[in-house]
Amino acid sequence: MGQTLAYRTQEESVSKKALFCSLFLLVLLAACGGQAAPETLRTIRLPMGYVADPQYAPLYVAVERGYFAEEGLALEFDYSFETDGIALVGAGELPFALASGEQAVLARAEGLPVVFVMQWWQQYPIAIVSKAASGIRSPADLAGRQVGVPGFFGASYVGLVGLLFANDMTLDDIDANEIGFNQVESLLTGQSEAVVVYINNEPVQLAQRGEALNVIAVSDYVNLVANGLMTNEQTIAEEPELVQGFVRAFLRGLRDTLDDPDAAFEISKRYVEGLDDSRRGVLDASIDLWQADQLGRGDPAAWQETHDLLLAMGLLQAPLPDLDALYTNDFVESAQP
């Protein structure tokens, strides 16, 4: 799942800081008599799919508090394209990446043996936003309106089409235009009457500018798999303890973030350059999308719905014969406190 599909380049300074903090925590834990961590940490490069951002607070918290170090791991945050991370994990060159559910389905269809092991985001984060004065309050109100889309690819595109399909509409019913990742400007300048956004990002920016909004959440109409942690079949088969340790540390950071968002946001400031309190709304909006009775657990019904939507859209050429092999809840269930 935040705006994890915006495709930005790696910010090496943040990556180095993350690695330094992991090593520092190892020394600190030993000095304070905390749970012993291995003397040598294994560095894991983690493709994130987006720039450093407070939506990654659970990972920053888990690093800062030594949860990954306790598992013998140090994280190197790689803020590169989501598709790059998926390809590397699918090829067995990296053990993990953050990815969106629809991208996992498409990768599996291409023969990549990827497996979702933790569904971090429980609600699909895409939404359609318009000015309150536009009168666009429901999907039906989008008929004939100018709708700005970042591109006809990725989660934004899938979310828009899924919303339309769920309301017996298609792209032919709206005036969809590719605008890049300029949704805020496109809406404010009147280029678009509505824009496709990440619900934890652009609406926060627009609200800060005093704009009254109508927000149509895709998750209110269709149940799609959002962002989570991906690995591959080889890593699960050969290093299940690595997968279990990573999931366990990640979930600990997620629980801490939900329990104390203020502390998590302060920790995020050490990893996100220039982060100030004006962006606190990004974390608050993200937290709403992570909540679940069992954190990190994948929903089989959502996987099936995601698969069926991609098939209907023509992005999937044929049904996957092994959809159940695409995800597992075993590691999440084993990591419960």
Side-chain angles (χ1 to χ4, degrees), residues 269-335:
K269 291 179 179 179
R270 304 169 197 173
Y271 294 84
V272 183
E273 185 175 356
L275 180 63
D276 58 35
D277 291 344
S278 67
R279 295 180 63 195
R280 171 58 190 268
V282 172
L283 177 58
D284 293 337
S286 299
I287 283 175
D288 291 340
L289 307 179
W290 303 337
Q291 302 280 2
D293 292 336
Q294 185 178 51
L295 297 178
R297 188 179 190 282
D299 178 6
W303 280 106
Q304 188 65 55
E305 193 161 348
T306 302
H307 169 276
D308 294 348
L309 173 62
L310 294 173
L311 195 61
M313 293 174 65
L315 295 178
L316 199 60
Q317 300 305 310
L320 285 184
D322 58 348
L323 181 61
D324 291 347
L326 179 55
Y327 63 93
T328 177
N329 287 315
D330 292 348
F331 296 99
V332 167
E333 290 172 355
S334 296

Side-chain angles (χ1 to χ4, degrees), residues 1-336:
M1 182 134 210
Q3 192 167 355
T4 56
L5 301 177
Y7 306 153
R8 307 291 179 85
T9 56
Q10 180 177 0
E11 298 182 0
E12 294 183 356
S13 62
V14 179
S15 300
K16 292 177 181 178
K17 187 170 184 179
L19 179 57
F20 171 79
C21 289
S22 293
L23 295 171
F24 175 76
L25 258 293
L26 175 63
V27 176
L28 183 62
L29 284 169
C32 297
Q35 181 176 338
E39 293 183 1
T40 302
L41 299 181
R42 175 179 175 178
T43 299
I44 298 292
R45 174 181 154 204
L46 181 66
M48 312 282 274
Y50 186 48
V51 298
D53 190 84
Q55 68 178 299
Y56 296 126
L59 288 161
Y60 300 149
V61 169
V63 168
E64 193 76 4
R65 293 183 172 171
Y67 299 154
F68 281 104
E70 289 176 21
E71 302 293 346
L73 304 174
L75 291 196
E76 178 185 341
F77 295 130
D78 176 358
Y79 300 103
S80 58
F81 294 171
E82 180 188 45
T83 47
D84 292 345
I86 293 172
L88 290 168
V89 171
E93 296 182 29
L94 289 178
F96 303 107
L98 300 182
S100 188
E102 84 284 340
Q103 296 302 312
V105 175
L106 296 175
R108 191 85 185 188
E110 292 295 324
L112 297 180
V114 296
V115 183
F116 244 54
V117 291
M118 177 182 161
Q119 190 174 320
W120 171 18
W121 296 67
Q122 296 296 316
Q123 296 181 44
Y124 208 66
I126 303 302
I128 314 299
V129 171
S130 59
K131 293 181 179 180
S134 71
I136 301 175
R137 298 182 177 85
S138 70
D141 296 328
L142 293 170
R145 310 299 281 268
Q146 292 178 322
V147 180
V149 189
F152 296 102
F153 59 85
S156 296
Y157 176 52
V158 172
L160 172 61
V161 175
L163 175 72
L164 294 173
F165 275 25
N167 290 273
D168 298 320
M169 300 171 67
T170 70
L171 286 173
D172 291 337
D173 294 310
I174 66 175
D175 181 11
N177 298 287
E178 187 169 357
I179 61 172
F181 294 97
N182 301 300
Q183 298 99 315
V184 171
E185 292 75 13
S186 184
L187 186 66
L188 291 178
T189 59
Q191 177 187 350
S192 301
E193 294 176 272
V195 289
V196 183
V197 301
Y198 280 79
I199 201 168
N200 63 327
N201 192 342
E202 287 84 4
V204 176
Q205 298 179 43
L206 287 162
Q208 288 175 346
R209 298 192 186 193
E211 192 67 51
L213 303 172
N214 290 330
V215 180
I216 303 172
V218 168
S219 61
D220 287 342
Y221 296 89
V222 60
N223 185 21
L224 302 177
V225 179
N227 282 48
L229 180 67
M230 170 190 291
T231 186
N232 54 56
E233 292 177 353
Q234 180 181 354
T235 301
I236 290 176
E238 297 179 0
E239 297 186 279
E241 70 287 346
L242 170 63
V243 180
Q244 188 64 77
F246 197 106
V247 169
R248 183 164 45 238
F250 196 163
L251 283 173
R252 291 177 71 185
L254 178 56
R255 292 189 197 98
D256 282 7
T257 301
L258 295 174
D259 290 342
D260 192 349
D262 291 340
F265 189 74
E266 290 304 312
I267 287 174
S268 297
K269 291 179 179 179
R270 304 169 197 173
Y271 294 84
V272 183
E273 185 175 356
L275 180 63
D276 58 35
D277 291 344
S278 67
R279 295 180 63 195
R280 171 58 190 268
V282 172
L283 177 58
D284 293 337
S286 299
I287 283 175
D288 291 340
L289 307 179
W290 303 337
Q291 302 280 2
D293 292 336
Q294 185 178 51
L295 297 178
R297 188 179 190 282
D299 178 6
W303 280 106
Q304 188 65 55
E305 193 161 348
T306 302
H307 169 276
D308 294 348
L309 173 62
L310 294 173
L311 195 61
M313 293 174 65
L315 295 178
L316 199 60
Q317 300 305 310
L320 285 184
D322 58 348
L323 181 61
D324 291 347
L326 179 55
Y327 63 93
T328 177
N329 287 315
D330 292 348
F331 296 99
V332 167
E333 290 172 355
S334 296
Q336 296 305 308

